[in-house]
Amino acid sequence: MITSGRFQPGDVVLVRNDDPPHHHRTPWYVMGKTGWIDAVYEPWPNPEEMAHGQHNAAKIPLYRVEFDQRDLWDSYDGPERDRLVIDIFEHWLEPASGGDS
Amino acid sequence: MSDHGHDHEHGHDHSHGNGHPHRHPPAPDIELSDRAKRSLAIQELLVEKGIVEPHEIRRRVEEQRGSPMNGARVVARAWVDPEFKQRLLADARSAVAEMGFEFPDDTGLVVLENTEERHHLVVCTLCSCYPGALLGPPPDWYKSLPYRSRAVNEPRSVMSEFGLEIGDEREVRVVDSTAELRYMILPKRPAGTEGMSEDELAQLVPRDSMIGVAEPMSPDMVQA
């Protein structure tokens, strides 16, 4: 099991709400949303550096983050058990309390 | 046309009568489109600047020429071999390499299992990330904006349009593939397939069942 990053499976996290001018891989629909760590992946080169031609971009921790669909979409009309998982790099995540999960 | 008695359809070694054989490049027999010319120019620049090696471009193109039959063979193997399945779910990249399927060094592979309790649906909302080595080139609908935007917020309606209804007692778990990891689904083995061989089972696994918009076929659907 990989434990390289600051988060462990089950940790509750908040996705930063940010709009940096450069390429990034965090879609708007998860920004500002609270979820939890589903899986810890091995570190990957930071795509935000790779996009600017840095082929030796630093490897940074990557997580599969899980959300309750109803926390993502006000209009979600499927069952409560429905989930969405998405890969998010560590610098987009902040520790959060388990309030709404 | 050639000025020495034969044409140059293909590159070949020959002599111009001066005793020094040399090689002509093949003459293009079709007019390249502007897009093809631009693509070739970009490739040449990338190689010239030392950003990529020519063999890396070729390798990537070949990887995209994978076929969904590759993924189907992986699924069938996992259905008949519990130890392989365990390796596949723990480290998919190494497991499929055992079967000869290679992924680029900078891409990972994750296989997620559909169960009685959970059904997965894969999407890449940012572009069209897709495990080409196992599934071939992505279908047009997978790359389309409607699929990419709707799969995340109304997955059950999207699947229903593909003819797939998932009961409310099962979790629908959407997988948005936003990093360098490619996702493939290991669908549930259909009932009535006990005793079938790995090759026979692979025939039951359509591409769409490894993306999550279909289930595998039942044996009678294949015979029909």
Side-chain angles (χ1 to χ4, degrees):
Chain A
M1 208 57 210
I2 294 152
T3 54
S4 60
R6 62 191 289 213
F7 300 113
Q8 303 292 322
D11 284 357
V12 179
V13 289
L14 173 72
V15 182
R16 279 176 40 222
N17 205 338
D18 199 0
D19 185 20
H22 56 260
H23 167 87
H24 64 82
R25 301 286 184 83
T26 308
W28 62 268
Y29 73 85
V30 293
M31 288 185 190
K33 304 290 184 180
T34 302
W36 58 96
I37 304 292
D38 180 35
V40 181
Y41 288 126
E42 62 181 294
W44 282 88
N46 185 352
E48 297 174 26
E49 292 178 25
M50 296 279 283
H52 294 269
Q54 295 183 37
H55 286 265
N56 297 315
K59 288 188 174 183
I60 52 176
L62 176 66
Y63 302 92
R64 188 168 74 221
V65 183
E66 179 172 350
F67 296 89
D68 187 328
Q69 282 280 36
R70 288 162 176 255
D71 288 339
L72 294 179
W73 318 100
D74 289 341
S75 62
Y76 196 80
D77 60 0
E80 276 178 35
R81 57 170 53 86
D82 285 3
R83 298 285 185 267
L84 180 138
V85 293
I86 179 169
D87 297 336
I88 301 184
F89 286 93
E90 185 172 82
H91 60 286
W92 280 90
L93 300 173
E94 292 168 6
S97 58
D100 60 11
S101 62
Chain B
M1 275 305 285
S2 157
D3 58 2
H4 46 235
H6 58 266
D7 62 34
H8 285 165
E9 287 279 340
H10 308 285
H12 54 266
D13 295 309
H14 67 154
S15 160
H16 283 276
N18 55 10
H20 299 291
H22 65 263
R23 194 169 173 82
H24 279 250
D29 53 2
I30 49 161
E31 189 62 35
L32 292 174
S33 69
D34 286 348
R35 259 187 218 183
K37 283 179 193 161
R38 186 169 61 186
S39 158
L40 282 172
I42 292 170
Q43 280 187 35
E44 281 174 18
L45 272 171
L46 288 168
V47 171
E48 204 174 291
K49 289 181 176 296
I51 294 170
V52 296
E53 299 282 337
H55 73 265
E56 292 178 86
I57 297 175
R58 193 176 59 242
R59 194 169 156 221
R60 283 299 178 105
V61 171
E62 284 169 4
E63 277 156 359
Q64 284 301 319
R65 289 202 186 118
S67 142
M69 207 51 220
N70 297 349
R73 285 177 52 208
V74 171
V75 167
R77 173 79 50 96
W79 282 347
V80 298
D81 180 345
E83 285 175 14
F84 176 78
K85 176 176 152 184
Q86 213 168 20
R87 293 198 295 280
L88 184 68
L89 297 176
D91 180 357
R93 208 186 137 98
S94 307
V96 303
E98 293 172 27
M99 298 180 69
F101 304 126
E102 303 278 345
F103 274 76
D105 293 340
D106 54 359
T107 349
L109 174 68
V110 177
V111 173
L112 299 171
E113 184 186 16
N114 281 351
T115 63
E116 292 295 337
E117 293 79 35
R118 182 179 280 177
H119 177 90
H120 293 88
L121 177 68
V122 181
V123 61
C124 171
T125 53
L126 296 179
C127 44
S128 55
C129 293
Y130 191 75
L134 295 177
L135 300 187
D140 286 343
W141 56 259
Y142 184 84
K143 298 184 276 186
S144 74
L145 195 56
Y147 179 77
R148 285 159 45 207
S149 49
R150 294 180 58 225
V152 284
N153 66 6
E154 41 175 333
R156 287 174 183 265
S157 304
V158 169
M159 290 187 288
S160 172
E161 288 161 24
F162 279 89
L164 178 63
E165 305 287 345
I166 302 294
D168 283 1
E169 74 288 353
R170 279 177 93 194
E171 170 194 339
V172 166
R173 195 172 182 86
V174 176
V175 184
D176 190 357
S177 161
T178 44
E180 312 315 319
L181 301 168
R182 304 292 174 259
Y183 286 94
M184 191 185 90
I185 303 310
L186 172 59
K188 276 193 306 167
R189 182 171 175 165
T193 57
E194 300 76 13
M196 286 177 71
S197 73
E198 199 175 317
D199 285 346
E200 290 168 333
L201 287 168
Q203 303 300 321
L204 305 179
V205 187
R207 175 195 68 199
D208 289 0
S209 70
M210 297 176 277
I211 305 173
V213 295
E215 297 279 22
M217 292 179 285
S218 61
D220 52 309
M221 286 166 78
V222 176
Q223 282 154 13

